[in-house]
Structures are given as C-alpha cells and as structure tokens.
Amino acid sequence: MDLFLQTLLNGLLIGGVIATFTIGFQLAFGVLHVIDFAVGGWVVLGGYLGYYMAAGLGVDGFLAIPVAFVLFGAIGYLIGPILYNVRNSRTARPELMALALTFGLFTLLRGGMLTAWGFNTHSVPTALSGESLAVGPLTVPLIRVAAAVFAVAIASGLFIFLYRTRYGLAIRATAENRQNAALMGVDIRRLSANVYGLYAGITAMAGVLMGAIFSVNPEVGLRYTLFAFFVAVLAGLGSVGGALVAALLLGVIEAFVATYVGSSYSLLAIFATLFLVLLVSPRGILRHGL
Amino acid sequence: MNPRWAGVLLLIAVIGVLALLPMLVNNYWLRIATGALMWAGLACSWNILGGYAGYINFGHSAFFGLGAYVTALLMGDKLAWPFFATVPAGMVVTALFAIIIGAPTLRLRGAYFAIATWAFAEVLIQFASVMDFTGGIGGIGLPPFLDERFFYFAMFAAAALTYLITWALFERSRFGLKVKALRDHELAAEAMGINTSLVKLQTFVLSAVTASVFGAIFAYWVTFINPKSVFGGDITDQMVVMVLLGGLGSLWGPALGGVGLFVVNRLIWMYWGDTAFYIAILGAAIVLVVLFMPNGIAGLFSKRAGNSGAVLEKAVDKLVGGDQGEPN
C-alpha cells in the first residue's frame, strides 16, 4: 500500500511538470495550427541551460528558470513568424510543409546538441537535489515538490493570463476562429509570434525542472516530444484544460509501469496507450475547447 | 529532338549503365551504388503516400524494419527459410500492420496520422529492444552471404519495380487521379464518389509494403540488424529529406534526392566517420528546403510542378469562396 501511494505521488508530481510544457504545446497548436515536433528540443535546451549555468557559473540550477524563459522566449519569438509564414503560404500543401519544418527544426536541434555536447548525460544541480521529506510512510523528494510547485505556479499564471486579460481573450478567440478574430482587429501574425515565444519560454523552463529531477542528454528530447503528443492526443489537439488532466494521467501511468513492471517498459506502455486512444477515440477522450 | 523521346533515351541510358555497373566498378563502389539504389527506392516508397496522397508518415522506418526483422527471424537457425521465401512473408506482415494502423488514423486529418505513425515506429523500437525473440538491443544476425553482385541486382530490381509501379499507378491510371484528387481536396473528392478511406488505405499499404522489401534485402545484405539500425528515426528522417529535396509528389524527384543525399552521407562518413553532425545537416536541409525550395529539385525544372497538384484545390476555393474551414 505504501508503495502504491508513493508511486501515485511520484506520478502526480511528475505529471505536474509535464503539464506545463504540454499546455504551451496545445496553445501553440490552437493558434498556429502547427504540430510542433521541436517541443522536446526546447525541453532539452532548457535542461542544458540549467546544467551549464550551474556548472559554469556555479549558481543554483533554479536560477536558470527565469533565464530560460527570457532566452528561449526570444528565440521562439523569432521563429514564430517563420512558422506562421510557412503555415499560411500559398504553396500546395502548407500544413505538411509546416509539419516538415518543425520536424526539421527538431532534427537540427538534436543533431546540433549531439555534435556540440555528445551523448553524455548531465543533471542540473540545485539546492534541493538529494533532499527529501518524510511524510508518514512516504518519502517525498523535495526537488519534485519544488518542481510541481513551480509547475502549478506557471500553469496558474498561464490560465489567469488566458482567461482574465484582454490579450488572453484575443489568443482564445484566434484559437477558436482565426478569421473572425482577425475581423475583430487581432493581428494574427504578431499574436502567433508572441504565442510561440511564450510557449518556447515555458517549455524551456519546464526543461530546467526536468533536468533537475531526471537528467538531460540530447536524445531524451524524443521522449518529451512523445509526452506532448500523448497529452495532445488524449486531450484532443488544442485543448488546454484537457492537457492538465492528461499530463497528470501520463505521469501516473509512467510511474506505475516503472515501479511495477520495469522502467524499460514505461515508454512501451505509453506508446501502447497512445495507440489505443487513437484507435478507440481518435479525437481525444477529454475533449474540451480552449 | 522531341523532349519526350529525349526523356525515354535518358531513361534507357541510365538503366543500361546501372545494368552494366557491376562489370565496371570494384566492390567498394558497388556497395555504395547498392546503397544509393536502396535509398532512391525508399524515398519513392515514402513519396507514394506523402507526395501523392498528401499524408506525411513520420514512422516509415517501421515498415522497413518489419521487413528486415521478418527476414532475419525466418532465416535464423531454427527456421532457416530461403531468402526469397521470407520477402513475401515480410510483405504480408507489413501489409497487416499497415491496415491495422492506417484504417483508424487515415480517417483523420494529417496531424493525427503523423503522430500515430511516428508513435508506431517508436513502439516497434521499444518492443524489439525488450523482447527476447528479437535479440533485444543486441540485435539479431543472419546467415552471411557475401555476393555483392546479388545484392546490387536485388536492390536494382526492387527499386526499378517500385518506380515502375509508382509510374503506372500514379501517373498513368485512374487510381492515381483518385489519389491526387483526395490529396488536393478530400471533401470534393468524396463528393465525386471516390471512396477516400479505401483509396488512402490502399496507397498506404502499397507504400508500406514496398518499404518492407528494401528492409528484407537490407537485412540480408548487412547480415546483422538491431532495433536502432532498422527502426530508427534517422531512417525516416532521411526519407523525408530525400523526398522534400527531390520534390514532393514528383516521380523522379525522390530518385534525385535519394541518390544526392546518400552520396553526401557517404562523403561525410569518409571524411569524418560516423558522426552526429550528419543529423544536424539533415535537419538543416529539411528547414532550408521547406523555406526556400518547397517544390524541391524537380520543381526547378518545371515551373508548374509545385502548383499543378493543387489545381482542384484552387478551383474549389473559387467555388466556395476560399474558406475551407479550419484544419482539423
């Protein structure tokens, strides 16, 4: 029973961190209509930023979080318009071209990181690494708690931004119907750039946290892209509220398979679930609008 | 001379050179030529679905790998099937898998299909890595057969057949028109009475089965396979780049892109060895082609190439006032 509770807790804590970057992913899809393969690339880059700041400058890994947001937010802001142009170009098949572009971007990031930093695995050192708290029979690693708290803060901030500000309203309107939003005076092109920047920044922040909890190497990006896809399929593409639930579910599934079956089976289980969902209910089982 | 006859003469010349190549070059170059033929064929196999039907398959390596693993397992010590019996077996297994994956996901728009195929290839990597009968991460060996000419001609035949089938089906038949119609406007194609689900599935199965044949020959050729070497994402990456580079939806584009990129790959390999740098180059190539050359090399030769496919789309746009609704 203790093991069961411990596993559940671990899963929920990880699910919280996964939720942060999958919410951004859903937002980017809702506005840009592009499936971003590069999502795992941003996560890994965030992790490396944390590692190099801690190893090179000797500061705490947590300090990399705001830096990651600003740095990768800016990079995303520059890439956003390119994606927008390709997605809305007059070539024969813009949807496929945009998909190919993010796929290429992801491959470029992965190859670039492998070339620059090799296959070695690093973890992001923080003040809380290795510390843990005993709650009754359970041990709670503090780093995971901190990460989950960060995740909740980021997600709540995003929700407040989306549902309580005028700009958030414009984003939601664009996601629902871009033509009508444009008629209401929303500059879709600029908004797309901002949303992609916001998403890249949030994803890189989540990457620092992931690097602190697990570790980072260029090849794990694939795993995070898979997570984002899993959540997107379960929640329905573009659904932000569903992403939260699906991410927590994903964290729990992964934790249980890793504990009770073996960690080498966890990816297989996630893929199998993803596949079953696609077979049974291809448009997502938690469908809600933005 | 009439350009049509010039094209036919060029084709005859290319086939002639390819048929005589084993007598002209040594084994080292023959191996490279074999690889180039394989990639030209694989690119064409990807293009069957991606170019003609407009569905991007990010897990095409799954079918290449299925062909390779079926051949490897059947030719193993216990069963010891002859090579030529394993190829059709691999084709059948691959076709079954393609139907199981394609039937539900091809009904949806491209994005879900892209995710589903990508996930499927990753499932197979994981599956082959944890199972005992596939040899796990260590992989599986085949009885060695060291006749470079045999493999050259096998790849040559497979590639030639792939191109012939593609030409006959997609450039010269009603079936090809149906596929292109649904690519350009699925709803309009359906309204014309085309059973789009069936046509898409047939195209997908054809694309998958051709890939499995190359997988089977590849496994026998290299005599040793592991999950990464046949299911790996880099294999799909290469196919995607080759087709984009050559020209999406053109018949000869994938051959140009496939041979061109394979030569670049070998050059990098010769000078720098097995390097991650190549992955970065692949990624950069995809990005640059999408941004600056969306119609590929084939698009440079014919001004109409890129847009000719979208004639129906434009006509429908005019009729319904340009609003096709939101994607997905």
Side-chain angles (χ1 to χ4, degrees):
Chain A
M1 194 61 205
D2 286 352
L3 184 63
F4 180 85
L5 284 178
Q6 178 80 57
T7 311
L8 186 68
L9 182 71
N10 282 352
L12 286 174
L13 291 176
I14 292 303
V17 185
I18 296 173
T20 49
F21 67 87
T22 50
I23 289 173
F25 177 82
Q26 293 285 63
L27 198 62
F29 178 81
V31 171
L32 277 153
H33 290 299
V34 173
I35 304 261
D36 192 13
F37 266 88
V39 55
W42 302 126
V43 175
V44 174
L45 280 171
Y48 267 103
L49 181 78
Y51 169 71
Y52 277 106
M53 275 185 70
L57 303 174
V59 296
D60 193 273
F62 281 124
L63 274 179
I65 292 176
V67 180
F69 183 73
V70 174
L71 181 64
F72 290 103
I75 294 174
Y77 179 78
L78 295 176
I79 293 176
I82 301 174
L83 260 181
Y84 179 87
N85 285 348
V86 170
R87 181 66 186 83
N88 294 285
S89 65
R90 296 301 300 166
T91 49
R93 284 172 290 284
E95 191 188 355
L96 300 192
M97 283 301 175
L99 199 61
L101 180 65
T102 65
F103 190 65
L105 192 61
F106 180 55
T107 310
L108 177 61
L109 290 178
R110 187 166 73 92
M113 289 189 285
L114 281 173
T115 310
W117 301 319
F119 290 84
N120 289 342
T121 298
H122 302 288
S123 71
V124 180
T126 63
L128 296 175
S129 303
E131 307 279 325
S132 64
L133 197 70
V135 183
L138 308 179
T139 17
V140 189
L142 277 182
I143 180 73
R144 293 195 183 208
V145 178
V149 169
F150 258 114
V152 171
I154 294 168
S156 336
L158 194 61
F159 272 104
I160 291 168
F161 173 64
L162 280 178
Y163 286 91
R164 287 283 176 272
T165 64
R166 250 181 100 69
Y167 204 74
L169 183 67
I171 293 176
R172 285 186 294 133
T174 311
E176 206 162 300
N177 189 321
R178 43 205 293 137
Q179 240 164 5
N180 286 355
L183 287 172
M184 293 296 131
V186 177
D187 183 345
I188 310 254
R189 207 185 126 86
R190 265 187 68 182
L191 184 125
S192 300
N194 289 337
V195 165
Y196 196 82
L198 183 69
Y199 144 76
I202 289 175
T203 307
M205 283 201 288
V208 181
L209 296 175
M210 281 299 196
I213 299 175
F214 301 110
S215 52
V216 59
N217 78 56
E219 292 288 17
V220 296
L222 274 173
R223 194 184 176 85
Y224 295 123
T225 298
L226 163 72
F227 284 180
F229 284 176
F230 179 90
V231 169
V233 167
L234 217 60
L237 273 168
S239 158
V240 169
L244 199 63
V245 182
L248 291 176
L249 196 63
L250 169 63
V252 172
I253 293 177
E254 216 214 351
F256 272 96
V257 173
T259 308
Y260 288 97
V261 188
S263 58
S264 59
Y265 286 87
S266 71
L267 271 188
L268 192 59
I270 292 169
F271 276 117
T273 317
L274 174 65
F275 219 79
L276 281 179
V277 172
L278 273 172
L279 288 182
V280 177
S281 166
R283 284 179 187 277
I285 40 183
L286 308 158
R287 261 186 92 70
H288 294 289
L290 192 56
Chain B
M1 191 163 45
N2 183 327
R4 194 183 153 74
W5 284 107
V8 172
L9 281 180
L10 182 67
L11 187 63
I12 292 173
V14 169
I15 292 175
V17 170
L18 286 176
L20 293 175
L21 202 65
M23 277 145 248
L24 304 174
V25 299
N26 60 23
N27 271 354
Y28 178 78
W29 289 104
L30 200 60
R31 274 186 86 83
I32 289 184
T34 311
L37 282 171
M38 180 179 93
W39 283 107
L42 280 175
C44 183
S45 143
W46 191 87
N47 189 43
I48 288 176
L49 189 76
Y52 289 106
Y55 275 75
I56 289 221
N57 181 346
F58 279 131
H60 208 46
S61 60
F63 304 119
F64 178 76
L66 276 173
Y69 262 96
V70 169
T71 291
L73 290 171
L74 290 180
M75 289 183 78
D77 293 335
K78 276 179 228 148
L79 296 163
W81 284 31
F83 171 70
F84 283 106
T86 67
V87 178
M91 290 165 80
V92 171
V93 170
T94 307
L96 282 178
F97 273 104
I99 291 169
I100 293 169
I101 298 146
T105 50
L106 280 165
R107 288 168 197 276
L108 299 156
R109 292 290 306 234
Y112 282 99
F113 179 75
I115 294 178
T117 47
W118 186 74
F120 176 61
E122 294 294 319
V123 167
L124 289 184
I125 292 187
Q126 298 299 330
F127 186 77
S129 306
V130 295
M131 287 296 142
D132 285 333
F133 75 96
T134 57
I137 296 176
I140 185 170
L142 290 87
F145 180 57
L146 305 168
D147 183 350
E148 286 304 328
R149 288 184 182 195
F150 169 79
F151 291 109
Y152 175 80
F153 281 115
M155 286 293 186
F156 183 31
L161 261 177
T162 306
Y163 277 89
L164 187 67
I165 291 171
T166 309
W167 176 77
L169 271 183
F170 294 96
E171 304 285 346
R172 285 289 176 276
S173 83
R174 282 179 64 83
F175 180 76
L177 288 177
K178 286 182 190 173
V179 174
K180 286 178 193 166
L182 79 87
R183 169 191 70 188
D184 291 343
H185 204 293
E186 203 156 331
L187 201 60
E190 226 160 86
M192 284 170 182
I194 298 170
N195 183 349
T196 52
S197 299
L198 181 68
V199 171
K200 279 187 285 188
L201 192 60
Q202 287 167 334
T203 313
F204 182 44
V205 170
L206 178 70
S207 165
V209 165
T210 45
S212 82
V213 174
F214 290 103
I217 303 173
F218 176 77
Y220 195 23
W221 183 35
V222 299
T223 71
F224 181 81
I225 57 172
N226 65 45
K228 282 268 178 209
S229 78
V230 293
F231 287 126
D234 298 341
I235 293 173
T236 307
D237 289 3
Q238 291 209 70
M239 286 188 250
V240 177
V241 189
M242 285 165 176
V243 174
L244 286 176
L245 195 67
L248 197 62
S250 81
L251 179 64
W252 298 114
L256 293 174
V259 173
L261 196 73
F262 184 74
V263 170
V264 171
N265 175 318
R266 287 296 94 181
L267 287 175
I268 291 175
W269 195 83
M270 260 188 253
Y271 288 109
W272 289 288
D274 200 5
T275 164
F277 187 50
Y278 180 65
I279 301 173
I281 291 183
L282 280 184
I286 303 183
V287 170
L288 291 177
V289 167
V290 168
L291 291 182
F292 301 110
M293 214 168 64
N295 298 325
I297 300 171
L300 299 178
F301 291 108
S302 80
K303 281 212 163 72
R304 273 174 1 101
N307 294 325
S308 63
V311 173
L312 186 59
E313 189 171 12
K314 277 180 188 150
V316 174
D317 272 4
K318 260 184 199 159
L319 283 175
V320 300
D323 184 14
Q324 290 181 39
E326 298 291 282
N328 289 292

